Amino acid sequence: MTQPASNAAVVLVIEDEAPIRRFLKVSLTEHGFVFKESLTGNDGINKAALEAPDLIILDLGLPDMDGLEVTRRIREWSTVPIIVLSARGSDKDKVNVLDAGADDYLTKPFSVPELLARVRVALRHAAMIAPEPDGAKFSVGNIRVDLVKRQVFVGDVEVHLTPIEYRLLVAMIQHAGKVVTHNQLLRQIWGEGYGEESHYVRVFMAQLRRKVEEDPARPKYLITEPGVGYRLKVE
């Protein structure tokens, strides 16, 4: 078994099912993470505060409170990445927990490679330090964005976006690697009064893909999470 390095990321698993905890412990420690565990929501909240983990893996069906409430309470004081695991697979459950502040959602059963990929993306996103104003640049694949000059390039060619297309791209960059719901994008781009007009997001996402994706019908970066929203893929 791999021994965690001194700077290894600490992962707190809040899960009441012993087989799942054992499975996660083996999977995470074998890949160099420090494993901590809680069996209830209240204990998980306390450990999140006292031990300051680098990432939380959270089950929704806890014995003392719903994982949705755990997410809301942790988000009152912490931005620690939260990946939700649940047997509930409905779009409504996913949207609710993501809107409450979770960073990602995996439906049971899940594969170890997928879980580890989501963990790496969430940790990398959390480690991003806001760049200085003269160096605010983002790139993924052949897409480059200069956030100061408001310029977007695909390869060496500058692409001209409409104001809404640009705000949509910036919103996805701000949450790179995370699932962003339709409601989150509507509020951020159009304002608090918009909550039911998800077709706005679909129309402008399609336009944005036509300008920055090599094959808009099979996007590599601006990925649809069906019934939930979108993810800017960074891995």
Side-chain angles (χ1 to χ4, degrees):
M1 183 175 295
T2 303
Q3 290 298 316
S6 59
N7 61 344
V10 176
V11 179
L12 171 62
V13 172
I14 307 175
E15 165 68 71
D16 65 317
E17 294 185 41
I20 299 293
R21 288 200 314 277
R22 287 195 295 268
F23 170 74
L24 290 171
K25 182 175 183 178
V26 170
S27 302
L28 292 167
T29 54
E30 280 188 346
H31 289 84
F33 295 99
V34 176
F35 178 87
K36 304 284 185 179
E37 64 182 14
S38 289
L39 280 64
T40 67
N42 272 314
D43 184 61
I45 293 169
N46 290 335
K47 283 188 177 175
L50 294 173
E51 302 188 17
D54 297 291
L55 182 137
I56 293 172
I57 295 176
L58 170 66
D59 180 38
L60 287 186
L62 297 169
D64 57 338
M65 70 173 72
D66 193 275
L68 186 63
E69 178 62 19
V70 176
T71 301
R72 290 194 182 110
R73 288 176 57 178
I74 290 175
R75 279 292 172 261
E76 291 175 0
W77 46 268
S78 175
T79 59
V80 61
I82 299 174
I83 297 177
V84 167
L85 302 180
S86 180
R88 306 176 202 169
S90 75
D91 293 343
K92 182 178 179 181
D93 287 323
K94 295 177 184 179
V95 169
N96 286 343
V97 77
L98 291 166
D99 279 343
D103 294 78
D104 209 343
Y105 191 110
L106 274 176
T107 303
K108 298 175 182 176
F110 53 88
S111 69
V112 172
E114 182 179 16
L115 172 66
L116 293 173
R118 301 288 183 95
V119 167
R120 289 193 298 269
V121 168
L123 289 171
R124 194 159 60 243
H125 184 268
M128 288 181 183
I129 300 172
E132 295 300 318
D134 63 349
K137 293 182 172 64
F138 175 87
S139 65
V140 59
N142 64 343
I143 302 170
R144 293 183 294 113
V145 183
D146 187 318
L147 297 164
V148 173
K149 297 179 180 179
R150 299 172 67 89
Q151 291 177 307
V152 179
F153 297 87
V154 177
D156 296 324
V157 178
E158 184 173 1
V159 176
H160 297 282
L161 305 182
T162 68
I164 289 181
E165 290 166 356
Y166 181 76
R167 290 204 296 272
L168 179 57
L169 180 58
V170 170
M172 297 305 298
I173 289 170
Q174 289 171 341
H175 302 284
K178 297 172 57 175
V179 178
V180 191
T181 68
H182 295 113
N183 286 342
Q184 289 171 321
L185 290 170
L186 282 167
R187 290 197 303 268
Q188 183 167 341
I189 297 165
W190 283 272
E192 290 294 333
Y194 294 82
E196 304 299 326
E197 297 83 356
S198 58
H199 59 283
Y200 287 10
V201 181
R202 287 194 292 271
V203 168
F204 282 94
M205 182 61 76
Q207 293 177 189
L208 179 59
R209 282 171 169 164
R210 283 195 289 270
K211 294 183 177 181
V212 302
E213 291 277 6
E214 183 177 342
D215 184 353
R218 289 185 287 273
K220 291 175 61 179
Y221 306 110
L222 296 166
I223 307 301
T224 298
E225 295 285 343
V228 179
Y230 300 93
R231 180 202 305 271
L232 177 55
K233 191 172 182 180
V234 292
E235 179 172 280

